[in-house]
Amino acid sequence: DTEVTQTPKHLVMGMTNKKSLKCEQHMGHRAMYWYKQKAKKPPELMFVYSYEKLSINESVPSRFSPECPNSSLLNLHLHALQPEDSALYLCASSPPLNTGELFFGEGSRLTVL
Amino acid sequence: DAKTTQPPSMDCAEGRAANLPCNHSTISGNEYVYWYRQIHSQGPQYIIHGLKNNETNEMASLIITEDRKSSTLILPHATLRDTAVYYCIAVWRGKLIFGQGTELSVKP
């Protein structure tokens, strides 16, 4: 299994809603990442987890709350988002942290109304 | 993190070699050069990486200049399915920061 699976593929939410994005991998990778990608722009790094601990937070607003409950799962909890947060959210994993070879999922496309 | 500079777009004829340049003049000795591509509506896909030496795999070749200030990704026989945005990234300790990339269009 060489896949990173993200659910849901599409999500529409209101600004007062609470929702979560989920990411799963069964490759035994110990580093997991969240990226945000706006249309026609490159992916922007948000968070990095290494061995289930948050190691990088790229000054992301607190309305985005990551969680890594175990080595295979990564969540992104969303609360009180703004319309400008609408984007493609990409999850990735890598074997150890110190490699640049990341395996990306297909992304969750989020629309905030 | 070293900044990389790539042309915003390039065209290539199907079956010909696609040569995608990247400048990374501020790259440090610890930073590897990684290439990814992103086909429309998909997640980025790893292609190849290198530190000093030229590298080749089943997808592409990577040529790094001796001073490491620039590199070229070569797709030897481009196909229509190679149409994508190609990102050159200087990586240290696993932190991938994407630049603007090159949008490669392979035309019949």
Side-chain angles (χ1 to χ4, degrees):
Chain A
D1 186 356
T2 57
E3 282 191 349
V4 174
T5 303
Q6 291 188 242
T7 55
K9 291 195 186 317
H10 299 274
L11 177 63
V12 179
M13 62 185 289
M15 289 189 284
T16 58
N17 292 159
K18 286 185 181 181
K19 297 286 185 183
S20 297
L21 305 179
K22 297 185 184 301
C23 175
E24 191 167 2
Q25 57 88 14
H26 295 289
M27 295 178 278
H29 290 173
R30 303 312 299 267
M32 295 187 77
Y33 309 72
W34 279 115
Y35 281 82
K36 172 183 176 180
Q37 186 173 26
K38 303 280 278 184
K40 302 285 189 184
K41 297 291 187 184
E44 297 174 39
L45 182 63
M46 300 175 72
F47 302 104
V48 181
Y49 274 82
S50 177
Y51 292 89
E52 294 111 71
K53 293 195 185 313
L54 184 65
S55 62
I56 295 176
N57 177 343
E58 292 287 294
S59 302
V60 179
S62 59
R63 59 186 183 270
F64 295 92
S65 175
E67 178 197 21
C68 190
N70 61 55
S71 60
S72 299
L73 294 174
L74 184 66
N75 298 321
L76 186 63
H77 302 299
L78 314 170
H79 174 54
L81 295 193
Q82 303 296 312
E84 58 264 29
D85 296 321
S86 298
L88 181 68
Y89 288 84
L90 293 159
C91 174
S93 69
S94 65
L97 177 61
N98 292 341
T99 174
E101 187 174 348
L102 272 58
F103 292 72
F104 281 84
E106 296 298 302
S108 292
R109 188 162 298 282
L110 173 68
T111 302
V112 182
L113 300 178
Chain B
D1 303 326
K3 180 177 167 58
T4 61
T5 305
Q6 300 176 252
S9 63
M10 291 181 64
D11 289 341
C12 178
E14 188 179 18
R16 303 297 293 270
N19 296 285
L20 292 93
C22 178
N23 285 320
H24 32 79
S25 57
T26 61
I27 197 168
S28 72
N30 297 322
E31 289 179 299
Y32 286 74
V33 178
Y34 275 75
W35 284 82
Y36 279 75
R37 73 180 183 185
Q38 187 172 23
I39 296 170
H40 182 60
S41 297
Q42 296 183 21
Q45 176 191 23
Y46 165 82
I47 301 173
I48 199 167
H49 75 279
L51 183 64
K52 297 180 184 177
N53 300 323
N54 299 337
E55 303 288 344
T56 295
N57 63 21
E58 63 280 2
M59 288 182 70
S61 295
L62 174 60
I63 309 297
I64 303 174
T65 58
E66 195 169 338
D67 62 8
R68 300 208 332 121
K69 291 183 185 297
S70 66
S71 61
T72 301
L73 178 75
I74 302 172
L75 308 178
H77 305 286
T79 71
L80 299 179
R81 285 177 294 188
D82 292 321
T83 292
V85 179
Y86 288 77
Y87 295 102
C88 166
I89 309 167
V91 178
W92 185 61
R93 301 194 62 163
K95 189 174 178 181
L96 250 68
I97 305 297
F98 288 81
Q100 296 303 310
T102 295
E103 188 165 7
L104 175 69
S105 296
V106 180
K107 300 182 184 298

